[in-house]
Amino acid sequence: MTGPERREQLIDVGRKLFADKGFEGTSVEEIAASAKVSKPVVYEHFGGKEGLYAVVVDREIGSLLGAVTTALTATDTGPRDLLEGAALALLDYIDSSTDGFRILVRDSPPGQATGSFASLLSDTASQVEHLVVSEFHSRKLDAKAAPMYAQMLVGMVAMTGQWWLESRKRRGFSREQVAAHLVNLAWNGLAHAEPKPTLRTRPKK
């Protein structure tokens, strides 16, 4: 193999092992053995397990964020259609890149502040925020709460995606069905949002 070909092979091998065993459960020895190379080859290309993991995660983050960004920046479409597109983008990614999604939703290794699923959700919520602000203004709701609602929407989609990852075969829901139910809750809930919501079970403050 050429150097670039070997690097891609190691990335593919590492991606599979990290998805199956996680960062802590995967060793350089396993990576080298699966790729049928010596340990020094892994160190030569990535400096160690951490370097390989960072490359794998960066690629998955880029792939998923790119798909969601494309869906959220589509032109000539309304907010509900954008929400549908973003939900489908995430579910499409889960369906086509299951190993990648498993890696993203696992805990990041110690010392890695960026490139985590949490940072990805934060980036996505920032993109969703302007849509929520627009809807809040049109419905005469307090736009100061929009960032919080953006986090809620993204969190809801992400958690549902994790649930679907593990139960899609057993439950039998297609990605289109899951996306439709997500949008049903998110959109219809927003359509009937109260201007000043309060809890019914506790005294107002």
Side-chain angles (χ1 to χ4, degrees), residues 115-142:
S116 66
F117 193 54
S119 66
L120 171 67
L121 295 184
S122 179
D123 289 343
T124 305
S126 296
Q127 297 185 52
V128 172
E129 186 176 323
H130 77 279
L131 299 175
V132 181
V133 169
S134 176
E135 281 301 301
F136 271 40
H137 282 312
S138 70
R139 299 175 189 279
K140 295 181 172 55
L141 300 173
D142 185 1

Side-chain angles (χ1 to χ4, degrees), residues 133-189:
V133 169
S134 176
E135 281 301 301
F136 271 40
H137 282 312
S138 70
R139 299 175 189 279
K140 295 181 172 55
L141 300 173
D142 185 1
K144 289 188 298 184
M148 178 170 58
Y149 277 78
Q151 294 284 344
M152 292 175 187
L153 285 171
V154 172
M156 179 177 69
V157 174
M159 289 299 294
T160 304
Q162 292 184 57
W163 170 84
W164 186 62
L165 172 68
E166 303 300 338
S167 63
R168 53 188 166 166
K169 293 181 180 179
R170 177 165 49 88
R171 300 285 185 178
F173 287 109
S174 69
R175 60 180 175 270
E176 290 80 10
Q177 288 174 317
V178 175
H181 284 287
L182 274 168
V183 174
N184 181 43
L185 175 59
W187 185 259
N188 290 322

Side-chain angles (χ1 to χ4, degrees), residues 16-147:
K16 179 61 177 173
L17 288 171
F18 290 137
D20 291 342
K21 298 185 173 184
F23 176 81
E24 295 296 342
T26 300
S27 66
V28 173
E29 288 82 0
E30 287 179 294
I31 295 168
S34 296
K36 295 181 173 57
V37 299
S38 63
K39 286 171 56 179
V41 173
V42 179
Y43 287 110
E44 177 186 349
H45 282 278
F46 302 100
K49 180 175 70 170
E50 294 79 6
L52 176 56
Y53 181 87
V55 171
V56 170
V57 169
D58 283 347
R59 285 194 176 188
E60 297 304 326
I61 289 283
S63 177
L64 177 52
L65 190 57
V68 174
T69 299
T70 298
L72 289 174
T73 54
T75 58
D76 300 326
T77 187
R80 176 168 179 153
D81 292 335
L82 290 176
L83 183 59
E84 287 184 7
L88 276 172
L90 174 63
L91 296 172
D92 282 342
Y93 171 79
I94 293 172
D95 202 32
S96 62
S97 303
T98 300
D99 283 347
F101 189 71
R102 288 188 191 282
I103 291 169
L104 292 182
V105 298
R106 289 181 183 273
D107 291 335
S108 298
Q112 181 164 321
T114 60
S116 66
F117 193 54
S119 66
L120 171 67
L121 295 184
S122 179
D123 289 343
T124 305
S126 296
Q127 297 185 52
V128 172
E129 186 176 323
H130 77 279
L131 299 175
V132 181
V133 169
S134 176
E135 281 301 301
F136 271 40
H137 282 312
S138 70
R139 299 175 189 279
K140 295 181 172 55
L141 300 173
D142 185 1
K144 289 188 298 184

